[in-house]
Amino acid sequence: KIVSGLLQAAAYVYDAQYNRNIPFETSPKAVRLYYLYNHWSMQAATYFFIFVDLALALFEEPAVYLLPFLGKYATSLVEVLCLLVFFGRLVHFAQVTPRSVFWKDTKNICIMISILVTLIDLIVYGALRISAIRGIRWSRPLRPIFLINFAESRQIRRAFRSIRNTLPEITYVFLLFMFSVLMFSLMALKLFGDRNLKTVEGSPYFTNYLEIVFNMYVLVTTANSPDVMMPAYDFSWWYCLFFIVYVIINTYIFMSVFLAVVYNNYRKHLKNEIRKLAYMKRRKMIEAFNLLKVKEGAEFVVKEDQWKHLVKLVAPDISTSHRELLLRISDEEQKGCVDKKSFVRLADLLNIQVITIKLHSHPLDIWFPHVYNSTPSLCIRSMVRHKGFVWMYDVIILINAVFIALDEKNPYISYAEWVFLCLYIVEILLKLYTYEPRNFFARNQFWNWFDTSIIIAALIATVLNTALRSVTIYNSQQVLDIVFILRVLRLIRIIDSIQRFRVIMNTLINIMPTMLTFGGLVLVVYYIFSIVGMEIFQGKVKFFAGNTTTPHALYCGNPALKDSTFARAKYCKNNFNNIASSFIVLMELTVVNQWDELLNGKLLDNMETSENDLGGEEGTTKKKLKGLMFKIASKRYRTVDALLQRMFEAEIPPEEEGPSLDEILNLSPNDAYPKNPVFDNAA
């Protein structure tokens, strides 16, 4: 029973550490199955098969790459395998969660329906193909549902929920905006419709109301500005005032209001999601504490041995010294137990990445102590540690940048590259001489690894290129390309040298989890629209190579595009003929430029810097230290979500257990709990 309680408590702490909100059965078998469900290998396998399922679009008709084996049936077999894996994952999830919770969970229902619908679609499509009848794989747009609804994708699912909850509240702004566009379009029809104006192509200007609405909507995005107003402007410069007023109202005012409403409502629902996470995390930690607590005097505590076993189960990879450090923080008074207030902080402590630094003596100090500690050696080491050494190499990098931009065929430039390469090698050797190598190449020393890798790769590529150049029959253009890229990458080293640059780079690295979440949202939207676009527009626009002589190339293989701006601009490669082309078209539409021309082509036919310190605490201290040191390298969560969660958790009193589980799950943005304005006013 004690072991079972310890495993259950560890599961609660593990969930709190990673902000998981999965109710699970508390029987020993269910807890072990829950551990297996959350094992990294199971999650990696799930993501792998989701990726394979999404990637099938590359090999299905219309295919980017045709599979050489099993022909058209290979992708169907692979998709059936993926569906079996998804079904097995769902059955595993059903084994660890209460039955009532499982069948009330919308994401489980979505996965089951998607699996069933896809199987039916495969059977129908296969039967049609056997009968030589062309069919449509209408279930393919459902594939992103597996990416969204499996438990591992909770960040993407949370973002989708926030967006979904925001949409109803921006409807009125959108309707008012469309009313403004329709009103201005009607005014444009009355102003310009009877003046016999012509566009550049010679077609009537603003005589069809629906075309006017479309053009005025495009003008909001500025994609057709100033082209759309030029016929009216050429007729009378007074008419430019109409378009200026329209752009001010709809592009600047309405779009700003629209963005503000979206932002405020998204933030409101996001904060509600974060509030649920914070309360769920507190409840998980309290449930773990209640499983392990014993009465010690007047209060309940967790014994030191139990606490150590718990931490070993939750974080088996951390060292014993790291575990002792966490215990020292949790049990500051060294009472041999951890109270409730300190225990609740355990999940946060585990989210702090602590690096154990073993202070070693430099190998040269051990092998040749007299030489390494001699006056000339101390001068060299002092010079390398000095800021002037860093500044000197910053200047060298800048000079190198100038030489990279110069003509490579000049022999002096070629010789200069060897000089710069030698200087960079000398720099690395001097740093290895000054700083202890194991600290210099520690796991968290990204920039040291980057510098060394780039210089070694550049040295190998340059030597190889020079050797191959001596062989006159060899064209070393590919090697030259690698050399040129490596030379440019060397300039990135200046980022590590300048503190401000390093802070900016670390900030960009820190927001990568958030970027990946919204990258997943974009992938889902792009994938669905790409599949639908291929089914509708496949073959409508064709691309012909530049050296082709066929007359069809002049209008992208579609007579309806003859003499169109789309064909004249040679946009034929922007089509929905395969998944890769579809993604590119959607990307072009996303960045707005010329999106109306692309659309016409389709419609005509239907701050932390401690990570980068030179592993050398030893190099910056005058005394030789031995033993262990600990350094906070980073916190696991650095996103806006995490910041809001930390702010909200700070407002929950340590002794408060929060609302019940049902109340947490049913919290709405308008519920004021706790009654503290700080979090509600957080930006």
Side-chain angles (χ1 to χ4, degrees):
K1 185 178 179 180
I2 293 175
V3 174
S4 175
L6 190 62
L7 285 173
Q8 187 179 341
Y12 285 138
V13 175
Y14 196 64
D15 282 356
Q17 181 186 358
Y18 290 97
N19 277 328
R20 264 198 298 265
N21 181 19
I22 303 177
F24 58 89
E25 295 280 5
T26 57
S27 64
K29 179 183 177 182
V31 172
R32 286 183 171 84
L33 284 173
Y34 186 63
Y35 271 98
L36 178 62
Y37 182 85
N38 290 316
H39 194 270
W40 69 268
S41 61
M42 300 292 288
Q43 294 181 353
T46 303
Y47 277 121
F48 172 77
F49 281 100
I50 289 174
F51 171 77
V52 170
D53 190 45
L54 293 174
L56 287 176
L58 292 170
F59 311 103
E60 294 171 326
E61 294 182 359
V64 179
Y65 305 104
L66 290 173
L67 294 178
F69 53 92
L70 293 178
K72 56 193 176 186
Y73 301 108
T75 54
S76 298
L77 294 174
V78 173
E79 186 163 14
V80 170
L81 175 62
C82 292
L83 294 177
L84 289 174
V85 172
F86 299 152
F87 183 73
R89 185 70 170 164
L90 194 64
V91 170
H92 190 170
F93 187 72
Q95 295 296 314
V96 300
T97 54
R99 187 168 299 178
S100 58
V101 174
F102 179 85
W103 289 107
K104 288 181 181 178
D105 197 333
T106 308
K107 63 179 182 290
N108 299 330
I109 306 300
C110 287
I111 292 174
M112 283 189 289
I113 292 175
S114 298
I115 292 174
L116 180 61
V117 166
T118 304
L119 285 174
I120 294 173
D121 183 30
L122 282 170
I123 294 171
V124 172
Y125 182 76
L128 291 175
R129 290 300 296 264
I130 293 172
S131 304
I133 301 174
R134 186 182 182 277
I136 295 177
R137 285 294 316 280
W138 45 268
S139 68
R140 292 197 297 170
L142 300 179
R143 288 173 182 168
I145 287 178
F146 299 117
L147 176 63
I148 298 171
N149 286 289
F150 272 112
E152 291 80 0
S153 304
R154 56 188 179 278
Q155 294 282 358
I156 297 178
R157 197 161 51 249
R158 188 189 310 155
F160 260 112
R161 277 200 305 268
S162 298
I163 293 173
R164 182 193 63 199
N165 294 329
T166 300
L167 289 178
E169 300 177 37
I170 64 175
T171 303
Y172 292 106
V173 179
F174 179 74
L175 291 176
L176 188 58
F177 162 73
M178 288 306 302
F179 177 76
S180 173
V181 173
L182 293 173
M183 288 293 295
F184 272 94
S185 300
L186 187 59
M187 284 190 282
L189 177 64
K190 296 303 179 182
L191 281 174
F192 312 120
D194 296 329
R195 299 190 183 274
N196 295 321
L197 300 179
K198 301 290 184 181
T199 63
V200 177
E201 292 82 10
S203 56
Y205 179 72
F206 276 18
T207 57
N208 183 290
Y209 182 66
L210 293 180
E211 290 182 1
I212 296 173
V213 172
F214 175 75
N215 281 304
M216 297 301 283
Y217 179 77
V218 173
L219 182 57
V220 174
T221 67
T222 70
N224 61 352
S225 177
D227 299 1
V228 70
M229 84 167 187
M230 290 311 297
Y233 185 42
D234 291 341
F235 183 79
S236 173
W237 73 271
W238 285 101
Y239 287 136
C240 73
L241 298 177
F242 171 82
F243 293 96
I244 291 173
V245 172
Y246 175 82
V247 168
I248 291 174
I249 292 176
N250 291 281
T251 300
Y252 294 109
I253 296 178
F254 259 114
M255 288 299 101
S256 298
V257 172
F258 191 81
L259 180 62
V261 172
V262 170
Y263 170 73
N264 285 328
N265 283 283
Y266 181 83
R267 185 185 65 170
K268 179 176 71 174
H269 291 288
L270 175 64
K271 288 196 293 186
N272 188 54
E273 293 281 343
I274 299 303
R275 180 167 57 169
K276 290 181 181 180
L277 283 179
Y279 277 131
M280 190 62 70
K281 178 179 177 181
R282 173 63 64 91
R283 177 155 292 278
K284 294 269 186 182
M285 292 304 299
I286 290 173
E287 288 176 350
F289 178 82
N290 291 336
L291 285 170
L292 303 178
K293 68 182 181 182
V294 294
K295 191 97 180 235
E296 186 82 12
E299 64 175 347
F300 286 101
V301 296
V302 175
K303 288 292 187 179
E304 180 179 315
D305 291 341
Q306 283 282 78
W307 188 93
K308 287 183 178 179
H309 286 307
L310 175 70
V311 175
K312 195 169 184 180
L313 283 173
V314 176
D317 297 330
I318 66 174
S319 62
T320 304
S321 53
H322 185 183
R323 201 156 45 242
E324 291 295 332
L325 174 66
L326 295 180
L327 179 60
R328 182 70 61 89
I329 295 171
S330 301
D331 183 18
E332 295 178 354
E333 299 179 5
Q334 303 295 300
K335 296 184 295 185
C337 58
V338 178
D339 60 19
K340 182 178 180 180
K341 180 180 177 181
S342 299
F343 185 88
V344 169
R345 295 185 304 169
L346 177 58
D348 294 324
L349 292 176
L350 291 171
N351 279 331
I352 299 175
Q353 183 183 352
V354 178
I355 296 177
T356 304
I357 302 174
K358 294 183 179 180
L359 299 179
H360 303 283
S361 296
H362 199 287
L364 294 177
D365 193 17
I366 299 173
W367 301 335
F368 311 105
H370 296 295
V371 176
Y372 191 70
N373 294 306
S374 63
T375 302
S377 175
L378 292 174
C379 289
I380 293 173
R381 289 153 60 190
S382 177
M383 177 192 70
V384 173
R385 295 191 193 104
H386 196 273
K387 289 183 178 179
F389 183 80
V390 177
W391 295 341
M392 179 182 70
Y393 268 91
D394 288 346
V395 173
I396 291 174
I397 292 172
L398 293 175
I399 296 173
N400 189 192
V402 175
F403 274 79
I404 288 174
L406 297 177
D407 186 9
E408 169 69 17
K409 295 179 181 179
N410 190 317
Y412 294 105
I413 303 300
S414 181
Y415 297 147
E417 283 300 323
W418 279 104
V419 173
F420 287 118
L421 197 55
C422 291
L423 287 173
Y424 294 141
I425 293 172
V426 168
E427 179 197 16
I428 291 175
L429 293 176
L430 286 174
K431 286 182 177 180
L432 288 174
Y433 180 81
T434 303
Y435 302 109
E436 204 281 321
R438 281 170 289 188
N439 289 339
F440 185 81
F441 288 119
R443 258 188 330 181
N444 65 314
Q445 301 301 329
F446 168 78
W447 289 108
N448 294 342
W449 281 99
F450 179 81
D451 289 351
T452 307
S453 302
I454 290 295
I455 297 305
I456 292 176
L459 177 63
I460 295 172
T462 304
V463 171
L464 183 61
N465 180 59
T466 304
L468 293 176
R469 270 185 174 179
S470 61
V471 183
T472 56
I473 61 172
Y474 178 79
N475 182 5
S476 59
Q477 185 58 47
Q478 291 182 341
V479 179
L480 269 176
D481 291 342
I482 296 173
V483 172
F484 291 150
I485 291 172
L486 291 172
R487 285 177 184 172
V488 175
L489 287 177
R490 286 201 312 243
L491 303 181
I492 300 178
R493 299 173 68 254
I494 202 169
I495 294 174
D496 184 43
S497 304
I498 300 176
Q499 178 73 13
R500 298 282 184 179
F501 287 177
R502 194 192 306 175
V503 170
I504 295 171
M505 282 299 298
N506 288 336
T507 302
L508 294 176
I509 294 172
N510 292 342
I511 66 174
M512 282 303 294
T514 300
M515 298 302 293
L516 289 174
T517 298
F518 286 96
L521 295 178
V522 173
L523 173 64
V524 169
V525 174
Y526 274 30
Y527 194 90
I528 293 173
F529 277 90
S530 295
I531 296 295
V532 175
M534 285 192 297
E535 296 293 352
I536 298 175
F537 303 116
Q538 176 195 349
K540 305 295 185 184
V541 178
K542 297 178 181 178
F543 172 71
F544 297 88
N547 56 356
T548 185
T549 57
T550 176
H552 301 294
L554 297 176
Y555 44 83
C556 304
N558 190 332
L561 292 173
K562 192 172 183 178
D563 297 327
S564 66
T565 305
F566 184 90
R568 288 198 303 269
K570 298 187 182 298
Y571 284 172
C572 304
K573 207 165 188 177
N574 294 316
N575 53 58
F576 282 93
N577 292 343
N578 56 58
I579 190 72
S581 298
S582 302
F583 264 73
I584 293 171
V585 170
L586 293 175
M587 174 61 71
E588 292 170 344
L589 293 174
T590 303
V591 299
V592 175
N593 285 352
Q594 301 292 339
W595 72 269
D596 54 317
E597 295 298 337
L598 295 176
L599 186 62
N600 286 332
K602 302 298 179 293
L603 293 180
L604 281 171
D605 192 68
N606 179 86
M607 201 92 26
E608 294 164 306
T609 61
S610 59
E611 302 178 33
N612 302 299
D613 296 338
L614 282 175
E617 275 82 358
E618 172 193 6
T620 57
T621 55
K622 295 182 179 178
K623 296 181 180 180
K624 295 181 181 178
L625 302 176
K626 294 184 178 180
L628 295 175
M629 289 183 64
F630 298 96
K631 180 173 70 173
I632 296 178
S634 65
K635 295 182 180 179
R636 189 181 304 277
Y637 303 113
R638 300 172 174 178
T639 61
V640 175
D641 300 27
L643 177 61
L644 289 174
Q645 184 172 339
R646 293 293 297 156
M647 293 171 63
F648 186 70
E649 287 173 351
E651 296 179 11
I652 306 176
E655 67 279 358
E656 183 179 333
E657 297 191 8
S660 65
L661 180 61
D662 290 337
E663 290 174 332
I664 293 173
L665 296 177
N666 294 317
L667 278 175
S668 72
N670 299 320
D671 293 335
Y673 192 99
K675 296 178 180 179
N676 193 320
V678 178
F679 177 78
D680 291 334
N681 294 330

